[in-house]
Amino acid sequence: MNRPAIEGGKPIRETDIYYGHQYIDDADIEAVTKVLRSDFLTCGPAIQKAEDKLKEITKAAYAVLCSNGTAALHIAMQAIGAGPGDEVITTPITFAASSNCALYCGARVVFADIDETTYNIDPQKVESLITERTKAVVAVDFTGQAAQLDELLEICHKRGIYLIEDAAHSLGTMYKGRPVGSIADITTMSFHPVKTVTAGEGGAVLTDREDLYRRIALYRTHGITRNAAELEHESHGPWYYEQLLLGMNYRITDIQAALLDSQLDKLSMFAKRRKDIVKRYNEAFGNIPQLIIQREIEESDSVRHLYILRLNRERLSIDRSRFFEAMNAEKIHCNVHYIPVYYFPYYESLGYERGLCPKAEALYEDMLTIPLYYGMSDEDVDSVIEAVKRICAYYAR
Ligand SMILES: *Cc1c(COP(=O)(O)O)cnc(C)c1O
């Protein structure tokens, strides 16, 4: 019997690996040091350069870089004018920022359940939850597969509701041949080190609408403008600027923007490797009765940020916790994406209760995230496959 490490067998790996890791090369380091030696550490030329590159990749008309993906979501909510009395619909299977952004503005969050095969928000559920107070839907491209954007756009637009796409997982993904970033009313991104490309910390807000772009740019920087066309009073002189609304300082630095710019040059290389690994995982795990793999969405040519395994508990004698610990013992450190947002004590304090989204809750019980990142070697991928197979075989029932 091939005994798992947790049962006293020899671990499959000698070194530890984790579910995600950034990839930094000499070009990245050079790009950052060049900024450090320059005149501008922030508000300089590196920011627009990276914004231009992001526009080229996503085909969005406007791109505004900001300090992180959470700030990007907050800016998006402010730009559409979400506020007290409004409702924002989102999925519970996401990072809390996707729903916190509505709370920052005083809006209420309404959670819509997921599709149990793709794990993305279910458009029919969304439609059933719309009221006259619904201001926006925040759709998350979970793991990097685009949400059902056309269906969601139709549902939203016939009622004057904004579709915000949280594309923190899906930079590089194409939906029906169109790049993510040019489809929803506003698309937000994150460049945290676990994401497909990184700025250390960083985010972006993308849109095709000029009116929204103006507000997005203002909200990033205190609501302040120097743009003559936007001033409400007559200019006092060359130093003059005005604050038009209450924004934040959500700027990114030139140091981060230069790193992002350099990372974006590697996006197609990152994407190809991620796709290769996903293909190998799908082939390896697709026929194991102990596992359920996330359904591939045909309309989405996906660059995956995460790879999720769902355990088929009817065929396994152990639960997710034990599986997770068994992987740890093999030196493969998994994660869980995500705890349903409304399970958190803070959300409970707002009145959300268990049972709200049964499919999301059921998924949460049985899911884990295995390593997926550009720098994984073929041997790393093999070791993950071997460990998963070993554990499934040992605990099969
Ligand atoms: C990472 C992430 C965010 C937040 O991004 P930060 O840059 O960490 O603030 C938001 N939504 C989702 C789905 C994410 O994965």
Side-chain angles (χ1 to χ4, degrees):
M1 195 59 160
N2 188 352
R3 191 190 296 273
I6 199 170
E7 302 283 356
K10 186 170 175 288
I12 290 210
R13 295 179 54 88
E14 288 179 352
T15 56
D16 296 275
I17 54 169
Y18 296 85
Y19 86 93
H21 198 276
Q22 72 272 19
Y23 179 82
I24 300 291
D25 65 9
D26 288 344
D28 295 330
I29 293 166
E30 220 168 277
V32 169
T33 43
K34 200 173 143 209
V35 170
L36 289 172
R37 293 179 206 284
S38 79
D39 290 332
F40 295 99
L41 300 187
T42 190
C43 302
I47 296 169
Q48 199 183 335
K49 186 159 171 275
E51 286 174 344
D52 288 344
K53 196 167 284 177
L54 198 57
K55 285 194 284 188
E56 209 177 288
I57 290 167
T58 60
K59 308 281 183 252
Y62 303 98
V64 174
L65 291 185
C66 60
S67 42
N68 54 64
T70 305
L73 284 159
H74 187 196
I75 291 171
M77 285 292 125
Q78 290 176 309
I80 63 168
D86 291 333
E87 293 174 353
V88 173
I89 301 175
T90 193
T91 168
I93 297 294
T94 186
F95 183 59
S98 313
S99 66
N100 286 345
C101 61
L103 302 182
Y104 295 155
C105 297
R108 209 174 76 85
V109 178
V110 176
F111 290 101
D113 211 347
I114 55 167
D115 177 292
E116 63 204 330
T117 62
T118 67
Y119 316 151
N120 271 335
I121 199 167
D122 178 348
Q124 280 181 329
K125 279 277 149 47
V126 168
E127 188 155 33
S128 73
L129 291 167
I130 287 175
T131 70
E132 70 279 7
R133 290 184 294 278
T134 308
K135 184 78 176 178
V137 173
V138 177
V140 178
D141 298 330
F142 182 61
T143 73
Q145 297 205 98
Q148 282 172 261
L149 298 171
D150 277 348
E151 288 84 343
L152 290 166
L153 275 171
E154 197 190 323
I155 290 166
C156 289
H157 284 181
K158 72 180 178 213
R159 294 174 180 84
I161 296 168
Y162 292 98
L163 179 65
I164 313 296
E165 185 180 355
D166 180 347
H169 297 184
S170 60
L171 174 61
T173 289
M174 307 283 283
Y175 173 77
K176 298 185 181 175
R178 285 178 293 160
V180 157
S182 61
I183 301 164
D185 296 306
I186 298 179
T187 304
T188 65
M189 290 183 173
S190 163
F191 308 116
H192 180 278
V194 297
K195 309 290 157 82
T196 298
V197 304
T198 188
E201 293 274 4
V205 191
L206 310 170
T207 187
D208 279 348
R209 282 181 47 176
E210 204 207 338
D211 58 330
L212 290 176
Y213 162 69
R214 293 257 160 254
R215 292 170 62 79
I216 289 164
L218 282 171
Y219 277 111
R220 170 178 61 179
T221 313
H222 310 278
I224 284 175
T225 184
R226 289 175 182 279
N227 181 348
E230 286 178 327
L231 299 180
E232 291 188 11
H233 301 308
E234 205 174 315
S235 171
H236 303 176
W239 66 88
Y240 189 69
Y241 58 83
E242 282 178 358
Q243 181 184 345
L244 301 178
L245 43 78
L246 188 60
M248 306 278 185
N249 176 358
Y250 277 158
R251 286 191 305 266
I252 194 168
T253 65
D254 279 55
I255 306 165
Q256 294 163 304
L259 177 54
L260 175 66
D261 187 60
S262 175
Q263 288 263 302
L264 287 173
D265 289 338
K266 292 182 274 288
L267 177 60
S268 51
M269 181 178 99
F270 289 162
K272 184 175 176 303
R273 180 65 180 153
R274 283 178 178 269
K275 285 180 183 181
D276 286 347
I277 298 170
V278 167
K279 189 156 170 280
R280 288 202 50 206
Y281 280 162
N282 281 343
E283 282 164 8
F285 303 137
N287 294 316
I288 297 181
Q290 283 71 36
L291 301 173
I292 298 162
I293 62 174
Q294 189 182 2
R295 182 165 70 81
E296 295 253 318
I297 299 172
E298 265 171 52
E299 298 80 10
S300 178
D301 177 6
S302 309
V303 178
R304 296 267 206 109
H305 156 55
L306 299 173
Y307 193 92
I308 306 277
L309 284 178
R310 182 172 193 168
L311 306 182
N312 181 1
R313 296 276 299 285
E314 286 177 5
R315 305 296 300 271
L316 268 171
S317 61
I318 54 170
D319 65 8
R320 189 264 313 276
S321 299
R322 185 77 181 162
F323 200 105
F324 192 100
E325 283 161 15
M327 290 293 284
N328 265 343
E330 306 293 352
K331 297 189 183 285
I332 296 165
H333 302 281
C334 298
N335 208 323
V336 173
H337 295 92
Y338 291 96
I339 302 164
V341 173
Y342 59 80
Y343 277 18
F344 294 129
Y346 180 71
Y347 278 81
E348 284 180 329
S349 79
L350 300 178
Y352 297 91
E353 287 174 0
R354 310 257 161 148
L356 204 53
C357 298
K359 289 174 183 170
E361 294 182 16
L363 172 65
Y364 169 62
E365 292 304 316
D366 294 334
M367 76 194 316
L368 77 164
T369 305
I370 61 173
L372 172 61
Y373 53 92
Y374 173 78
M376 287 180 85
S377 66
D378 288 339
E379 294 71 38
D380 290 332
V381 178
D382 287 340
S383 72
V384 174
I385 292 172
E386 208 184 318
V388 169
K389 283 186 168 172
R390 182 191 227 187
I391 294 163
C392 285
Y394 192 84
Y395 297 107
R397 72 161 180 202

